[in-house]
Amino acid sequence: MKIVYFGSDVFLPCFEYFVSNHQVLALYTYHNDEDYMTEEGIVRMAEENRIPVHYESITEDRIRALFLEEGCGLLYSAEYDRRIPVPTDLPVFRGLNVHSSLLPDGRSYYPIEAAMDRKMPYTGVTIHVMAPELDSGDILDQRTLEITEDTDSVDVYLELASLTRSMTESIMSDFETAWNNARPQTEKKPYWNRPSPDRLTLTHALSREEAGQMFRCYNSLTQVELNGVLHYVQALGTGTAPLPWREWALRKNQWLYSLRDGHARLIVYEKVGEDRK
């Protein structure tokens, strides 16, 4: 089948499956340094296989041309940051979206982090039909994943990527049956909004355990103010020794940061606006 893929490195195993087993007409991706995984791996794989890479948004006219003129059989979206137009009057249109929660629970741009912030014992992944309203399409498949104390948000995304590839392979083995058997979402749940800044930001009042739990949940969404400038946190460790200063720059991107009962050892990069696109 001819596929147009939308996404980043988060679900790279799914892109690898399509590259190996179908004809990928194009990759649409984006750059966002908030995420632990961005687009470097998927772009490299696309370029190695001579698949065109697009950073711009796709238009409805382009989607119509893909299905009516170029033989496209499916749009597949997995961790993509833009709304994809859905031409509801085009019978041949087929689109699937991967969402990192057990819909209808967890409608959100940050479903994994929000689930962990809510201390939920499990989460999951849903593959559903693309629909004009986000996260509302009929469901083809769902899988559940346990969240344990040893799990951080990157672990969850890696586990979900493996689950989703397996789900995708199963769906694509008999696509028309899976498409026709998709079940509607009969209940509409509240949208989980982006966590408030206080849930994402390290402060000197936090304990080592609290700082570690924040980073466990949010990883690269975690931020900290250093010398009056906001930074994203790429890595965080902790120690028990008190610091002579509240913030201690060891290198440009490596800092010690005082906490209530010790210190944090940070690797950071400067935050520019809401993201670094």
Side-chain angles (χ1 to χ4, degrees):
M1 185 182 291
K2 293 182 178 179
I3 309 289
V4 176
Y5 191 98
F6 301 77
S8 66
D9 284 359
V10 175
F11 288 95
L12 184 59
C14 296
F15 184 70
E16 180 183 40
Y17 161 74
F18 282 116
V19 169
S20 299
N21 295 278
H22 297 271
Q23 182 181 352
V24 180
L25 300 177
L27 166 67
Y28 283 78
T29 190
Y30 67 100
H31 184 67
N32 180 2
D33 281 344
E34 279 189 329
D35 298 330
Y36 181 79
M37 292 171 277
T38 59
E39 85 292 2
E40 292 187 12
I42 201 168
V43 167
R44 183 167 56 252
M45 187 178 293
E47 291 175 343
E48 288 172 353
N49 288 276
R50 299 183 179 180
I51 297 168
V53 177
H54 300 269
Y55 282 86
E56 76 277 11
S57 299
I58 196 167
T59 65
E60 184 171 334
D61 286 345
R62 180 63 187 138
I63 290 174
R64 290 180 182 278
L66 283 165
F67 281 90
L68 295 175
E69 301 169 17
E70 299 178 36
C72 180
L74 179 67
L75 305 188
Y76 185 97
S77 175
E79 195 70 16
Y80 187 61
D81 74 333
R82 297 168 204 170
R83 188 185 294 268
I84 298 171
V86 176
T88 56
D89 62 339
L90 189 63
V92 295
F93 175 80
R94 297 289 186 272
L96 296 181
N97 182 63
V98 175
H99 188 72
S100 301
S101 79
L102 296 172
L103 292 173
D105 287 312
R107 295 173 57 245
S108 174
Y109 189 70
Y110 301 93
I112 298 304
E113 294 83 1
M116 296 185 70
D117 189 47
R118 288 163 168 77
K119 303 187 185 305
M120 295 174 62
Y122 64 89
T123 184
V125 62
T126 302
I127 298 181
H128 66 89
V129 174
M130 285 185 190
E133 184 179 1
L134 292 177
D135 306 333
S136 66
D138 294 354
I139 293 171
L140 282 76
D141 198 4
Q142 289 183 311
R143 303 282 174 88
T144 300
L145 179 69
E146 183 182 8
I147 301 175
T148 68
E149 285 298 317
D150 295 331
T151 303
D152 70 7
S153 56
V154 175
D155 289 325
V156 174
Y157 278 113
L158 291 171
E159 293 282 1
L160 291 187
S162 178
L163 282 177
T164 305
R165 171 161 180 164
S166 175
M167 295 161 65
T168 300
E169 290 180 5
S170 177
I171 288 169
M172 297 304 297
S173 69
D174 189 356
F175 178 77
E176 287 303 321
T177 297
W179 180 269
N180 292 328
N181 290 339
R183 55 183 176 84
Q185 297 187 48
T186 57
E187 187 177 4
K188 187 172 181 179
K189 297 291 188 73
Y191 191 85
W192 293 357
N193 293 321
R194 178 188 174 96
S196 59
D198 64 293
R199 303 293 298 168
L200 300 171
T201 306
L202 295 174
T203 69
H204 298 293
L206 294 176
S207 67
R208 287 178 288 126
E209 181 179 0
E210 290 167 336
Q213 285 298 316
M214 180 181 292
F215 189 71
R216 169 181 171 263
C217 177
Y218 294 113
N219 271 281
S220 295
L221 285 173
T222 307
Q223 57 191 26
V224 63
E225 186 174 316
L226 301 168
N227 282 349
V229 178
L230 275 176
H231 293 71
Y232 286 124
V233 178
Q234 287 186 302
L236 182 149
T238 60
T240 59
L243 297 181
W245 304 285
R246 288 163 66 84
E247 303 160 15
W248 186 352
L250 304 178
R251 296 178 179 84
K252 181 178 180 181
N253 70 333
Q254 186 175 336
W255 291 69
L256 298 179
Y257 185 84
S258 70
L259 297 172
R260 189 172 73 238
D261 57 353
H263 67 272
R265 304 162 186 176
L266 306 177
I267 296 176
V268 300
Y269 58 92
E270 187 175 340
K271 179 177 180 179
V272 180
E274 278 302 304
D275 55 43
R276 294 169 61 90
K277 291 180 186 175

